[in-house]
Each structure stands twice: as structure tokens, then as C-alpha cells.
Amino acid sequence: MTEVDSAGSHVLLDYVDYERGTDGDGEWALGVLRSCIRESGVREVHSHVEVFDGTESPSGFAAAVLIDESHVTAHCYSERGLLAIDVFTCGDSNADSLADLIHERLVLENPGLRLVFRKSVERFRSD
């Protein structure tokens, strides 16, 4: 079997039992993403969070950080206790290492949070 070259890596993390439930959850999540990105040495280009109050969309938030290699996002459905993290990097940045940092921080600050799915996918494959 031959080794496959890729120019990117995409890590998906799905959590259940998200119960942080305080005002500012979206800002908090964005802060977690941004601090882990900085710690990993990846360059942030732009960040934004949108909080949903349940009137037009289900309550929760979407937080996104554009990085020079791609993006890192968090999507939350507060009432259902669901949190999804998406880490997509290209070039020399390691998506798995960045996802590990984010995971450690999330479970440290949310003890009941449970990771139920993690998948790494090579992107921009040459085969």
C-alpha cells in the first residue's frame, strides 16, 4: 500500500451533555478556540461568534476562527446539550494537536461534557 500525500487535515469532534448554560457561552467558546490556536502557534486571521436566542434558530451559538491555513469552528445547540468542533488546517499545522488542545480545555471547564465522536480526515489528497 502506498502512502497518500495530502495538503490538509480535518478533525471533527462531537460532544454531548454540554451544560455550561451561562450567559456568554458563545464568547467563552470563541475564547477557548482563540487561545488554543495561539498556543499551537497557528496564525489567526479573523474571528466571530453569533449567539442564537431561540427565536429564529435553535438556541446556541456558532463561533468561527479563520486561520491562515483554514478554520476552526464550534457549533452548539444549547437546549439539546450538543457541541460540535471542527478543526481544519493545511500546510504544516497539525489539526490533531490543535484538536487535542481544544478538547483538553473543553472538558477541563465542562466536567460533564462527553466526547462521542472523533474523526480525522486527510484533505486535498493526491491519490
Side-chain angles (χ1 to χ4, degrees):
M1 187 166 169
T2 61
E3 185 174 315
V4 176
D5 281 334
S6 71
S9 184
H10 207 157
V11 179
L12 307 173
L13 304 167
D14 289 347
Y15 296 89
V16 297
D17 299 333
Y18 176 83
E19 294 184 16
R20 190 167 157 77
T22 60
D23 288 338
D25 278 10
E27 290 293 337
W28 168 82
L30 183 64
V32 167
L33 299 181
R34 293 182 76 203
S35 67
C36 291
I37 287 166
R38 275 191 305 276
E39 186 178 332
S40 71
V42 174
R43 187 174 73 87
E44 177 182 326
V45 176
H46 179 74
S47 65
H48 180 75
V49 64
E50 197 66 39
V51 177
F52 307 107
D53 65 7
T55 56
E56 293 184 35
S57 299
S59 61
F61 60 82
V65 182
L66 300 180
I67 56 177
D68 61 359
E69 295 94 354
S70 197
H71 68 266
V72 180
T73 63
H75 301 275
C76 178
Y77 291 93
S78 301
E79 291 175 356
R80 297 179 59 197
L82 303 176
L83 178 65
I85 304 294
D86 173 18
V87 180
F88 185 8
T89 64
C90 299
D92 295 332
S93 297
N94 186 312
D96 278 304
S97 294
L98 179 51
D100 289 343
L101 283 174
I102 294 168
H103 171 77
E104 289 170 14
R105 177 87 177 270
L106 290 173
V107 297
L108 177 68
E109 296 188 24
N110 298 273
L113 192 64
R114 291 187 305 122
L115 179 67
V116 294
F117 177 80
R118 179 176 177 145
K119 182 163 181 100
S120 297
V121 179
E122 295 302 312
R123 302 299 303 270
F124 303 116
R125 296 166 55 106
S126 64
D127 66 338

